[in-house]
Amino acid sequence: MTTDPEIHDLIIIGAGFAGLYTTIHAVREGFKVIGLDAASDVGGTWYWNRYPGARCDVESIDYSFSFDEDLQREWRWMERHATQPEILRYLNHVADRFDVRRHYRFNENLTAATWDENSHLWEVTTDSHTTHRGRWLVMATGSLSKPVLPDIPGLDTFAGETYLTAAWPKVAPDFRGKRVGLIGTGSSGIQTLPHLAQDAADVVVYQRTANYSVPAFNRLLDDDEWRAAQDNYAHRRQVSWDSLAGSPWTSHPKPYHDASPEEREAVFEEFWTQGGVLFAKAFARLTADPEINRAATAFFEKKLGQIVHDPQTRSDLTPDDHPLGAKRICTDSGYYECFNLDHVHLVNLKKDPLVSVVPEGIITQTGLRMHDCLVFATGFDALTGALTAPDVRGRGGLLLRDWWKEKVTTYLGVSIPGFPNLLTLNGPGSPSVLSNMALTSEQQGRFALDLIHFCADRGFTSAEARMDSANDWTAEGLAIAESTLFGAARSWYTGANVDGKPRGFLPYIGGFRPYIDKCHQAAQSGYSGFVLSNM
Ligand code: NAP
């Protein structure tokens, strides 16, 4: 075991959007910082999710840092929805531009973190058997960063190649001429299928639950569009900061119930062609009012009917167990069209359940399908997974994994009672995945640094959410979620995709701007929702 002799002001775990923002600003503001990441370089989610077809469902013009005007002007996005390689290049550019790598140690995966009540320091251990000590532990570990592998009998007996979209190899696998099985039809599976279908000799898609997917209508950004976006950037950013989801798009101004049938159809068409997740914004309350939701679903089904030729396949691809938008709408480029190809087959696991994996392929109730490769796009232990995987021990040795066994509570998504000076960025109870993560990362990093300054300036050596403020915040988030249709889906938002995970509603669904206002109020009250103390 090697012990880093320095005592750092901040230990920042993660080198994605939130970690980079916080590290850049903490260093600028005079703090001694060490960043750690399990990856070999910066990028966070965009480092790991290299699967073919990976791209962001938020427009590239919005999905980028806003804190530096020169950075914003010099980086030229090439497509409306940036691909994973383009976003990774951008984050590398950010790291170079602000010379941030020298503060990071890569290939160091956090295994344990322990709060020392005597010294008011965190002691952090990584898998390279190195220990670091710091006053604040900032977990910028990502909301969707702990992949879930399915528990399928015989999985380890498979004789071919196995891939996980969330940990894709740097050297791209060659699927040409191969028989591929794709398990999982969420955003990742839906994005990758067209690329698998392009190369492979045969693809079988194993679908447990049909999802709603809307085409991205992606396009190259030509110079005119880019120039216009640049000219309007300041306004676009301001609208995004004041919005509910961190992007400039708002719902149609007229309420659904005031619109004529023709107007409703025109609005759905307009928002359909905006692409992807924006369809759920067509009318205000689309994900809260069952009647509006049913109308949007009918529109979706009409569109699906225009794409998929075979009636049985179309029926199997039609979601039947959750309201549209209650799971994140997938954003695709040619997903449904793949099912018109002779070498792409759909297996509806609800009708033909998966039995086991064998060396030659996958057995379902109707028999064996032979595969050379299996691709798992089976999702994440969202929002809490990366926080509970290491042994994080707070006051009195309390293990975070145990503390959250029955119920996940935080104050503002940032602080947890019993875990002083542990700050979670984009954690459970923050808007995170329901907003534009580039802007939420800036907001979260700023909030964390302001709290750290406040404590440093006043001689407080620890800050921790009060139990009542965490309980109130968690109850408020749940009450807002219950006023929507989101709870009607078995989704990773609620923790339902992971066996044994407590049910709740993990992200804060009250909107980005209202959340920012709550954070401001918390700061203006002198952080009265926290217990502030000194040794
Ligand atoms: P996901 O939405 O959780 O989808 C996982 C898929 O795997 C589901 O279809 C699930 O079926 C299936 N699955 C899990 N275990 C299975 C099993 N044992 N047998 C058969 N099927 C199984 O995960 P994801 O696609 O990685 O997406 C997660 C989130 O990441 C997205 O919602 C999005 O927020 C983000 N993301 C965004 C983008 C983008 O920006 N475009 C791209 C990728 C991911 P069930 O539904 O039945 O559980």
Side-chain angles (χ1 to χ4, degrees), residues 46 49 51 54-58 144 148 150-152 165 183-191 206-209 211 327-328 330-331 349-350 354 377-380 433 490 492-493 497:
W46 301 104
N49 288 266
Y51 61 87
R55 68 173 75 235
C56 187
D57 56 4
V58 176
L144 294 156
V148 176
D151 187 15
I152 302 174
T165 49
I183 300 96
T185 52
S187 298
S188 305
I190 280 174
Q191 282 189 333
Y206 294 90
Q207 171 194 276
R208 194 165 63 180
T209 307
N211 261 313
K327 285 184 173 182
R328 189 175 180 88
C330 305
T331 303
L349 296 176
K350 287 210 169 131
L354 209 157
T378 40
F380 300 88
V433 289
R490 248 189 91 260
W492 55 261
Y493 291 142
N497 68 322

Side-chain angles (χ1 to χ4, degrees), residues 313-337:
T313 307
R314 194 160 65 229
S315 160
D316 287 337
L317 286 168
T318 305
D320 61 1
D321 76 334
H322 64 281
L324 184 146
K327 285 184 173 182
R328 189 175 180 88
I329 289 185
C330 305
T331 303
D332 73 272
S333 299
Y335 174 67
Y336 292 122
E337 287 83 346

Side-chain angles (χ1 to χ4, degrees), residues 137 139 387 404 410 413-416 422-428 444:
L137 176 59
M139 298 290 276
L387 300 169
W404 277 349
T410 69
V414 171
S415 180
I416 306 158
L422 176 78
L423 300 175
T424 54
L425 307 190
N426 293 318
Q444 294 275 280

Side-chain angles (χ1 to χ4, degrees), residues 353-479:
L354 209 157
V355 176
S356 64
V357 175
V358 291
E360 304 82 14
I362 288 185
I363 297 182
T364 64
Q365 218 164 59
T366 55
L368 167 69
R369 288 172 187 81
M370 310 275 274
H371 297 300
D372 305 303
C373 312
L374 296 180
V375 173
F376 290 94
T378 40
F380 300 88
D381 184 352
L383 286 116
T384 57
L387 300 169
T388 54
D391 290 338
V392 177
R393 291 184 183 278
R395 211 182 277 290
L398 179 65
L399 194 59
L400 183 57
R401 203 180 303 130
D402 290 343
W403 181 237
W404 277 349
K405 217 176 196 122
E406 305 293 329
K407 189 177 172 194
V408 176
T409 51
T410 69
Y411 175 48
L412 297 171
V414 171
S415 180
I416 306 158
F419 294 82
N421 293 12
L422 176 78
L423 300 175
T424 54
L425 307 190
N426 293 318
S430 75
S432 61
V433 289
L434 294 177
S435 187
N436 169 4
M437 294 289 276
L439 294 193
T440 66
S441 295
E442 293 188 5
Q443 185 275 336
Q444 294 275 280
R446 190 66 263 156
F447 183 79
L449 288 171
D450 286 349
L451 172 63
I452 293 170
H453 278 295
F454 182 91
C455 291
D457 293 348
R458 288 161 182 78
F460 294 119
T461 53
S462 86
E464 150 193 5
R466 280 189 358 223
M467 188 69 83
D468 60 338
S469 34
N471 284 338
D472 290 351
W473 181 251
T474 305
E476 182 183 332
L478 195 58

Side-chain angles (χ1 to χ4, degrees), residues 77 193 195 204 380 393-394 402 496:
W77 292 104
L193 175 65
H195 294 260
V204 178
F380 300 88
R393 291 184 183 278
D402 290 343

